[in-house]
Amino acid sequence: MIRFGIEADRQEIMELWGESFGDAQEEIAEIFRCLAGEVRVLVWEESGKIWGQLCLIPVRLWSYGQAVKAEYIYAVATKDTARGRGVCTGLLNAAATLLKEEGSCGVLVPGDSGLAKFYEKRGFSPCFREKIWEVEVSGEKRPDSRGRVREGSLRKRCVLEPVSVASYIKCRRDAFAGAAGVEPSGGMLKYAVSSFVREGGVCAKLLYEENIYGVLCRRESGTKSAPKENMLLIQEITAKGREEAVCAAQALLWHFDCRRALLRRSYDVCGLYLPAETEKDGCFNLVLN
């Protein structure tokens, strides 16, 4: 039987989640706390036990000014002993039927690129992809062999101010409103940003060349090929275009005295966005590059 999970199912749902994805119970509890009142869980129940689950979280899909109601499909999981019995497919089909009845559609990010074909066979279409660009420091002065930089005009023009999660979310929404992509719910954004900060990241406002950006970034310890090199992971910059984002990333490199940055850009349009025949009941797949 497929049904909505209730409060009495919470512990069993959290245990299945932890078994499937390796997340600590405290972390899963924090997700449910942040998403209170937003998340719905579909469960596959047999003989009084839960054998599979998927979460539905409200989002909006933007298509250049037009917003479409949607649900983010998250934490799709099946018990190891129930694999190969169609549990996951059954839950996805039930979710698709439910969303069609509600005049909504579904969007998800596969756990890895190898799962893309699995979801495509079950009605999802590749509409977005994630890109990661490598950005090198530039300007009139570059870091020396020890990674140190001297004062330069880029650095003088770059101001980074820590902000609250609420302020970052407002900045993000102001920047991306109406652009093609996915707008997460308030609970999703609060959890994502808070988690990034807890892992040593910086949530800040960047003032650079009369522009203001929201920034999520953290310093990494380097790579196998260059273990002593400081690298900056930029999870997000609220810049609308690639050139603008790269310029802002270079300013951040000067600020953090780093040589290289990995700049993550999500929801880059891939193929058709919201095809006419699936606007009302289609499923959309965010495919990793």
Side-chain angles (χ1 to χ4, degrees), residues 134-137 143-149 218-223 225-233 252-262:
E134 185 170 323
V135 181
E136 292 187 352
V137 71
D144 60 22
S145 60
R146 296 183 180 180
R148 299 173 301 186
V149 296
R218 69 167 174 250
R219 192 192 298 265
E220 298 286 297
S221 58
T223 62
S225 59
K228 295 182 180 180
E229 179 184 13
N230 284 327
M231 183 178 68
L232 194 65
L233 171 64
L252 285 171
L253 284 171
W254 279 87
H255 180 87
F256 284 99
D257 291 357
C258 292
R259 286 173 173 268
R260 294 188 306 122
L262 294 182

Side-chain angles (χ1 to χ4, degrees), residues 1-5 13 41-45 50 52-53 91:
M1 175 177 67
I2 296 177
R3 60 172 175 82
F4 280 116
I13 289 170
V41 185
L42 283 177
V43 299
W44 179 298
E45 180 189 6
I50 294 174
Q53 68 178 46
L91 286 167

Side-chain angles (χ1 to χ4, degrees), residues 75-281:
V76 183
T78 304
K79 275 189 172 294
D80 288 342
T81 52
R83 295 190 184 279
R85 294 174 46 197
V87 173
C88 182
T89 298
L91 286 167
L92 289 169
N93 288 341
T97 299
L98 172 69
L99 296 179
K100 181 176 181 180
E101 292 172 352
E102 295 177 344
S104 185
C105 57
V107 58
L108 60 79
V109 179
D112 59 67
S113 58
L115 286 172
K117 293 297 181 183
F118 173 85
Y119 287 109
E120 287 176 18
K121 289 179 180 178
R122 286 155 181 80
F124 289 78
S125 302
C127 288
F128 300 95
R129 62 175 172 260
E130 178 182 83
K131 284 187 174 180
I132 297 180
W133 298 326
E134 185 170 323
V135 181
E136 292 187 352
V137 71
S138 66
E140 57 279 6
K141 289 191 179 294
R142 300 174 64 88
D144 60 22
S145 60
R146 296 183 180 180
R148 299 173 301 186
V149 296
R150 306 302 179 188
E151 201 72 22
S153 61
L154 267 175
R155 198 174 183 186
K156 289 178 180 177
R157 294 199 305 266
C158 171
V159 179
L160 202 65
E161 299 177 355
V163 296
S164 67
V165 173
S167 295
Y168 178 81
I169 290 174
K170 183 181 185 306
C171 180
R172 187 185 194 280
R173 286 183 168 163
D174 289 345
F176 294 147
V182 178
E183 181 184 316
S185 68
M188 283 180 69
L189 280 171
K190 181 180 178 181
Y191 173 74
V193 176
S194 297
S195 297
F196 189 78
V197 172
R198 285 196 300 272
E199 293 170 359
V202 175
C203 173
K205 177 172 63 176
L206 171 66
L207 289 76
Y208 173 60
E209 290 190 340
E210 300 181 352
N211 294 314
I212 300 175
Y213 305 105
V215 175
L216 291 177
C217 63
R218 69 167 174 250
R219 192 192 298 265
E220 298 286 297
S221 58
T223 62
K224 288 183 178 180
S225 59
K228 295 182 180 180
E229 179 184 13
N230 284 327
M231 183 178 68
L232 194 65
L233 171 64
I234 304 174
Q235 184 76 357
E236 184 173 77
I237 292 179
T238 60
K240 294 182 179 179
R242 172 176 177 170
E243 183 176 349
E244 188 179 357
V246 169
C247 287
Q250 289 171 341
L252 285 171
L253 284 171
W254 279 87
H255 180 87
F256 284 99
D257 291 357
C258 292
R259 286 173 173 268
R260 294 188 306 122
L262 294 182
L263 172 60
R264 177 178 175 272
R265 293 282 290 179
S266 295
Y267 313 136
D268 192 57
V269 176
C270 170
L272 294 176
Y273 179 72
L274 296 185
E277 67 273 13
T278 57
E279 282 189 357
K280 294 182 179 179
D281 59 4

Side-chain angles (χ1 to χ4, degrees), residues 33-44:
R33 189 189 69 78
C34 288
L35 296 175
E38 294 182 358
V39 63
R40 297 183 293 173
V41 185
L42 283 177
V43 299
W44 179 298

